[in-house]
Amino acid sequence: MTPSLREQFERLALRLAELDATLSDPQVSADIKRYRTLSREQAEAQGIVDRFRRYQQREADQASAREMLADPEMAEMAEEEMAAASADMERLDAELQAVLIPRDPDDERNAFVEIRAGTGGDESALFAGDLARMYLRYCERQGWRTEVLSQSDSEIGGYKELVLRVEGERVYEQLRFESGGHRVQRVPATESQGRIHTSACTVAVMPEPDEAEEVQLNPADLRIDTFRASGAGGQHVNKTDSAIRITHIPTGLVAECQDDRSQHRNKAKAMAVLAARLRDKDSNERAAKEAATRKGLIGSGDRSDRIRTYNFPQGRLTDHRINLTLYKLQQIMDGDLGDVLAALKAARAAEQLAQLESGGA
């Protein structure tokens, strides 16, 4: 364990002592809201400090066993104790590092997933359809609920644009790394010469804001248009202007929803998407400023970043952010994203821990 991490745990032990003293104050216990907040902090700090004290105890046990090595009669027992202490310390060290990694409150949120065709014309739209199928199958494996908020179909299949809402446990935490440019290399169905083409799509994953955040939108900044829904939906979609398009005038951002027969529900869903896009825009602008001084391992999520390549002739997927290459492309396209997402999550955790050890923010 590095000296900087030790210092952090010692500071947390001091904070725990402060919390213990504060919570024993009758005035604090009389304030239920404050008491609950401090009690949660105390419980969390207590668990971490207890682990750290166990680590220190096993460290002392290992040092004592090392001194016993000089005694031939105790050497074998000392070696066993050193090995056991070392294993315990390694486990506790990993647990302590994990609890230090900052938690993003957005990780527990549901998410909006936007898929847009990019360069490559019809083939890009077909690839957008393949990506949509991949994400929908992954969501199904996770037991998450998905809902199509808006879609713009391509003439030959696939999508020009698709917006999904994904609801479930810690959705944003799992899907957050999918934002960016996705490139495909394959022979298109329309290619008669058998040549490999390169096309691209962009994906944006945004945490769903709280309702309290949504209502902060100034009505004067919004232009709301109604129109007739297109696509699947039977005769109904051609008869009523139930689809909603909302434009945020100051930024030009647009969100629409046409999946529901109720204009009111479509408006609420479009408003939620617009709030998420505005929130995402602010987040990306902050990330761009930070990236000017320190380039993150995972990247800023800039839509222009080429984050991943899907090479169909070689059956290969490459994630360029962490130099991960997997030769199981068909399984991945069928929704087996677990290995990719786990590797990205681990890389982000390692980067955050490195920043903590170096004293960074």
Side-chain angles (χ1 to χ4, degrees):
M1 184 180 293
T2 63
S4 62
L5 290 182
R6 284 180 189 274
E7 288 178 15
Q8 291 194 53
F9 291 125
E10 292 291 3
R11 284 199 299 270
L12 186 60
L14 292 174
R15 173 60 179 162
L16 178 60
E18 289 177 7
L19 288 167
D20 291 341
T22 303
L23 286 167
S24 65
D25 185 338
Q27 288 186 332
V28 174
S29 57
D31 185 343
I32 299 300
K33 185 176 180 181
R34 186 183 178 203
Y35 184 81
R36 285 177 177 169
T37 300
L38 293 175
S39 293
R40 283 195 295 268
E41 184 184 352
Q42 181 199 41
E44 187 174 330
Q46 187 71 62
I48 297 171
V49 172
D50 285 348
R51 276 198 190 94
F52 180 55
R53 296 307 183 207
R54 287 202 297 275
Y55 179 91
Q56 289 180 310
Q57 181 58 55
R58 295 306 277 153
E59 201 171 34
D61 294 342
Q62 188 182 56
S64 298
R66 189 175 289 113
E67 292 177 0
M68 292 164 56
L69 286 173
D71 186 342
E73 295 182 2
M74 304 292 288
E76 184 176 348
M77 185 174 74
E79 287 177 357
E80 290 177 359
E81 174 61 16
M82 286 178 63
S86 180
D88 287 344
M89 287 165 60
E90 187 174 339
R91 174 181 57 81
L92 289 165
D93 188 32
E95 291 176 3
L96 286 165
Q97 288 187 26
V99 298
L100 270 186
I101 295 171
R103 295 179 183 176
D104 188 335
D106 286 341
D107 282 349
E108 297 183 9
R109 296 178 187 268
N110 300 323
F112 297 114
V113 179
E114 300 181 356
I115 305 167
R116 287 191 177 86
T119 55
D122 290 338
E123 169 61 10
S124 176
L126 290 172
F127 181 49
D130 293 336
L131 288 177
R133 176 176 171 272
M134 176 182 77
Y135 291 130
L136 287 169
R137 290 203 167 187
Y138 177 73
C139 292
E140 185 180 352
R141 289 177 182 224
Q142 300 299 113
W144 296 339
R145 180 175 175 269
T146 57
E147 177 183 11
V148 175
L149 296 185
S150 68
Q151 66 185 72
S152 175
D153 298 333
S154 169
E155 289 78 4
I156 67 165
Y159 303 106
K160 296 176 182 176
E161 178 181 317
L162 179 72
V163 181
L164 300 170
R165 178 181 180 269
V166 185
E167 178 183 343
E169 185 176 349
R170 304 186 74 82
V171 169
Y172 184 68
E173 179 184 36
Q174 297 299 320
L175 295 180
R176 63 184 301 158
F177 304 115
E178 293 305 293
S179 289
H182 295 243
R183 183 177 69 172
V184 62
Q185 296 173 328
R186 64 183 177 188
V187 179
T190 54
E191 170 57 59
S192 59
Q193 303 297 319
R195 292 173 298 188
I196 296 172
H197 287 224
T198 298
S199 304
C201 291
T202 58
V203 175
V205 179
M206 301 169 295
E208 183 180 49
D210 293 330
E211 289 184 12
E213 293 179 23
E214 292 174 31
V215 298
Q216 291 175 8
L217 291 172
N218 185 349
D221 291 338
L222 305 178
R223 185 176 73 244
I224 301 176
D225 301 307
T226 59
F227 62 99
R228 291 183 182 180
S230 60
Q235 296 180 340
H236 168 79
V237 296
N238 298 318
K239 292 182 178 179
T240 62
D241 292 342
S242 61
I244 293 288
R245 181 183 296 111
I246 303 177
T247 303
H248 186 249
I249 297 168
T251 61
L253 290 174
V254 178
E256 63 181 50
C257 185
Q258 54 178 295
D259 79 307
D260 203 296
R261 292 189 176 206
S262 163
Q263 188 181 100
H264 179 73
R265 285 193 291 270
N266 279 337
K267 181 180 177 181
K269 292 174 184 178
M271 199 74 108
V273 172
L274 181 61
R277 287 180 176 163
L278 286 166
R279 198 167 180 270
D280 188 55
K281 180 176 181 291
D282 290 341
S283 176
N284 285 338
E285 287 174 355
R286 286 196 303 271
K289 290 178 182 177
E290 292 169 6
T293 55
R294 181 187 58 80
K295 176 65 175 173
L297 175 68
I298 300 301
S300 66
D302 190 315
R303 305 293 178 266
S304 64
D305 285 349
R306 185 194 69 190
I307 65 167
R308 193 177 294 155
T309 295
Y310 303 73
N311 186 300
F312 277 79
Q314 297 178 17
R316 168 176 58 83
L317 177 139
T318 300
D319 197 291
H320 305 289
R321 294 165 294 182
I322 56 174
N323 296 319
L324 173 71
T325 296
L326 296 172
Y327 287 90
K328 46 181 281 187
L329 182 57
Q330 193 53 57
Q331 295 97 305
I332 291 168
M333 298 307 295
D334 285 336
D336 185 8
L337 275 167
D339 290 345
V340 182
L341 300 183
L344 287 161
K345 189 176 176 181
R348 178 171 180 260
E351 183 198 24
Q352 289 176 306
L353 190 62
Q355 290 177 32
L356 286 169
E357 290 179 338
S358 64

